[in-house]
Amino acid sequence: MKYLCLVYHEETALRALSAADARKLDADSLAYDKVLENSGHLIAAEALQPVKTAKVVRKRKGRILVTDGPFAETKEQLLGFILIEAEDLEKALALAADIPLAEMGMIEVRAIYDIPQP
């Protein structure tokens, strides 16, 4: 099964990291992506641009409305994602637990819903 691991943390806390700590977090994250890739679990992994660059799109009655920022006003923001392949939820949770930002923020793990073909 495929699982999406959504990486959440406070952007302000990340910006407050020292340059050395930020470089270490980046290096640790890339290294863990390589571990997932080498073990055959990685499908895709990406960090996201800052929340201030986000746009929200809604379409109602044929009208498109685009607003700034994330949809939800929360303490933690979505910072990135890792799409993995795992035999079951238990394995997906174990893989998510080793994502470096799990120690500072949180990782939401959700199974991919395969839309049935008509």
Side-chain angles (χ1 to χ4, degrees):
M1 283 192 74
K2 293 178 186 170
Y3 293 89
L4 183 61
C5 302
L6 299 168
V7 180
Y8 289 91
H9 190 41
E10 296 177 55
E11 269 190 4
T12 54
L14 282 185
R15 286 195 305 266
L17 290 175
S18 69
D21 287 342
R23 281 192 304 274
K24 181 178 181 335
L25 178 59
D26 287 345
D28 290 349
S29 296
L30 291 172
Y32 188 60
D33 289 350
K34 195 55 129 174
V35 167
L36 290 172
E37 182 179 26
N38 290 340
S39 66
H41 291 99
L42 182 67
I43 297 170
E46 297 291 343
L48 299 175
Q49 292 290 327
V51 164
K52 68 181 179 183
T53 67
K55 300 289 185 197
V56 176
V57 177
R58 293 178 182 85
K59 188 171 184 178
R60 302 290 187 271
K61 298 180 182 179
R63 291 190 58 205
I64 298 170
L65 175 64
V66 178
T67 56
D68 290 336
F71 176 70
E73 294 296 325
T74 62
K75 182 177 175 187
E76 296 173 321
Q77 294 82 34
L78 177 63
L79 301 180
F81 69 89
I82 301 175
L83 182 59
I84 60 173
E85 183 82 38
E87 51 270 17
D88 55 30
L89 179 58
E90 195 170 313
K91 179 63 176 181
L93 293 172
L95 293 168
D98 287 334
I99 295 171
L101 268 166
E103 293 186 18
M104 291 188 259
M106 67 177 191
I107 312 299
E108 178 182 343
V109 178
R110 297 180 66 179
I112 297 299
Y113 174 68
D114 288 323
I115 299 174
Q117 298 297 317

